[in-house]
Amino acid sequence: MTQLTPTDQTRVVRGAKRAVYDEATVHAIIDDALICHVAQILPNATPLVTPTAHWREGRWLYWHGLASTRNVADTPARPVSINICHVDGLVMARSAFHHSLNYRSVTLFGTPEPVTDPAEKTRQLERFLDKISPGRWPQLRPINGKELKATGLVRLPIEEASAKVRNGPPVDDDEDYGWPVWAGVIPLVQHRGEPEMDQA
Amino acid sequence: MTQLTPTDQTRVVRGAKRAVYDEATVHAIIDDALICHVAQILPNATPLVTPTAHWREGRWLYWHGLASTRNVADTPARPVSINICHVDGLVMARSAFHHSLNYRSVTLFGTPEPVTDPAEKTRQLERFLDKISPGRWPQLRPINGKELKATGLVRLPIEEASAKVRNGPPVDDDEDYGWPVWAGVIPLVQHRGEPEMDQA
């Protein structure tokens, strides 16, 4: 099992017992998610966080946007922090204090780099679509040079990374287990609904 | 309909036609979500983004954590950016370029302030739990002074705020509508599953 090496940035401080650094877990949490949240620092020294769809190849996280989008255009040579979080359940304890969420969360740090080679951009965009809908790409009206140029693509190494995972029932204070209130987990489930065909 | 006034930070630049500034829409998107993503700037001048549960009262967004958690402890007097994003559907177009997501997203900017009064902290924590499970608070083992002290609570005014919303079918290039591929929207649905009672 490959372990990622914690750095000062990625060593989990709060809730260290929930920390996970093995690469397979980090990759699985990334792959299960459709969007991530990218934090960057704007030229006026304020933070900005934007949601964006992502995909992964090996040890790289990719995202795209219109070439002028701030988290694509601004990021080269600027550090970002990225979080991906699945909320899997509501943890209902016997005291308010021990209520929690079951979750799987990955936090990344690093400096993204642009991907500009047209062939590689095309290959990555196909990989992205394959994540959403395997085999769809060859069925589409082919991408053209203008569209490819309008699309900004960046990638971040998945190196400075940590995961935090909570699952299982509530953990209450010993003396509270007899308290007369329902306790347990309410799962939160996401699924794809019935496709709605475009009538146009 | 109350409109929030766009600032240089909140004026939506990319996809301006999807921008929404009315307060009711912003509040509804916030209330529908369990977690937000808080971006802050660390003392070493790198960004950090963390997921956290939130709730709202009037024109204030609240979140809490162990008093030492960085997005609670560090935020007073430091600017943050917060995003809340619901992904409602996969938008499958006839060309890769026009694929999209249906979403509801709110971005906030501002400087959080701590809430330290024990009675107000208690009242807000009850409001938070009411968002998750209305009427549960009085059934619980009452919160005690030690727990209240260990809990950090901050709030951010919902003033510098903007929303972006996309819904509906794909928008393809005119000449692509006849392309022989399925096009439409695949809804993404989240629901609460069957509660799992703690067997302890």
Side-chain angles (χ1 to χ4, degrees):
Chain A
M1 193 158 83
T2 305
Q3 296 288 320
L4 295 158
T5 306
T7 65
D8 283 350
Q9 297 247 60
T10 62
R11 187 170 292 108
V12 173
V13 179
R14 299 263 44 95
K17 68 181 172 181
R18 307 211 187 285
V20 183
Y21 300 99
D22 80 274
E23 202 168 46
T25 300
V26 168
H27 288 181
I29 292 170
I30 291 172
D31 294 348
D32 264 7
L34 192 57
I35 67 164
C36 64
H37 276 82
V38 181
Q40 63 192 110
I41 302 176
L42 296 177
N44 71 355
T46 57
L48 172 69
V49 55
T50 44
T52 192
H54 68 269
W55 66 103
R56 182 182 66 84
E57 183 171 44
R59 289 171 172 165
W60 294 90
L61 182 83
Y62 290 82
W63 68 97
H64 79 320
L66 288 179
S68 51
T69 300
R70 287 184 289 187
N71 67 32
V72 174
D74 285 353
T75 42
R78 287 198 196 154
V80 300
S81 170
I82 293 181
N83 178 267
I84 290 162
C85 186
H86 305 269
V87 182
D88 297 321
L90 306 168
V91 181
M92 314 300 272
R94 284 86 175 171
S95 63
F97 191 73
H98 287 297
H99 279 64
S100 187
L101 296 175
N102 280 339
Y103 61 86
R104 290 164 291 144
S105 171
V106 162
T107 301
L108 306 171
F109 296 91
T111 300
E113 60 181 41
V115 178
T116 55
D117 175 66
E120 175 60 7
K121 277 171 81 170
T122 305
R123 194 178 72 82
Q124 286 299 338
L125 294 173
E126 177 168 358
R127 295 195 77 262
F128 175 33
L129 199 63
D130 263 347
K131 176 184 171 183
I132 308 286
S133 181
R136 182 171 174 84
W137 181 273
Q139 304 176 50
L140 298 175
R141 189 267 289 154
I143 194 164
N144 62 43
K146 192 178 154 195
E147 290 170 339
L148 207 53
K149 199 172 170 184
T151 304
L153 178 63
V154 293
R155 66 177 192 166
L156 181 76
I158 305 171
E159 284 169 4
E160 257 200 288
S162 62
K164 277 180 84 175
V165 175
R166 190 204 188 282
N167 52 40
V171 178
D172 274 295
D173 292 340
D174 287 343
E175 60 271 29
D176 289 340
Y177 276 88
W179 195 271
V181 64
W182 188 91
V185 173
I186 301 171
L188 296 177
V189 187
Q190 198 176 40
H191 68 271
R192 294 186 179 195
E194 198 62 40
E196 299 160 358
M197 190 166 74
D198 185 10
Q199 301 301 323
Chain B
M1 193 158 83
T2 306
Q3 296 289 324
L4 295 157
T5 306
T7 65
D8 283 350
Q9 297 246 61
T10 62
R11 186 169 294 108
V12 173
V13 180
R14 298 263 46 93
K17 68 181 173 182
R18 307 210 187 285
V20 183
Y21 300 99
D22 79 275
E23 202 169 46
T25 301
V26 168
H27 288 180
I29 292 170
I30 291 172
D31 294 349
D32 264 7
L34 192 57
I35 67 164
C36 64
H37 276 83
V38 182
Q40 63 192 109
I41 303 175
L42 296 176
N44 70 356
T46 57
L48 172 69
V49 55
T50 43
T52 191
H54 68 269
W55 67 102
R56 182 181 67 84
E57 183 172 44
R59 289 172 172 164
W60 293 91
L61 182 83
Y62 291 82
W63 68 96
H64 79 321
L66 288 179
S68 53
T69 301
R70 286 184 290 187
N71 68 32
V72 174
D74 285 354
T75 43
R78 287 198 197 155
V80 300
S81 170
I82 293 181
N83 179 266
I84 291 162
C85 186
H86 305 269
V87 182
D88 297 321
L90 306 169
V91 181
M92 315 299 272
R94 283 88 176 172
S95 63
F97 191 73
H98 287 296
H99 279 65
S100 188
L101 297 175
N102 279 339
Y103 62 86
R104 290 165 291 145
S105 171
V106 163
T107 301
L108 306 171
F109 296 90
T111 300
E113 60 181 42
V115 178
T116 55
D117 175 65
E120 175 61 8
K121 277 172 80 170
T122 305
R123 192 177 73 83
Q124 285 299 339
L125 294 172
E126 178 169 356
R127 294 195 77 263
F128 175 34
L129 199 63
D130 264 346
K131 175 184 171 183
I132 308 286
S133 182
R136 183 171 172 83
W137 181 273
Q139 304 176 51
L140 298 174
R141 189 268 288 153
I143 195 165
N144 61 43
K146 190 178 154 195
E147 291 170 339
L148 207 52
K149 199 172 169 183
T151 303
L153 178 62
V154 292
R155 66 176 191 169
L156 181 75
I158 304 170
E159 285 169 5
E160 255 200 290
S162 62
K164 276 181 84 174
V165 175
R166 191 204 189 282
N167 52 40
V171 178
D172 273 295
D173 293 338
D174 287 345
E175 59 272 29
D176 289 341
Y177 275 89
W179 195 271
V181 63
W182 188 90
V185 173
I186 301 170
L188 297 177
V189 187
Q190 198 175 41
H191 68 271
R192 294 186 179 195
E194 198 62 41
E196 299 160 358
M197 191 165 73
D198 185 10
Q199 302 300 326

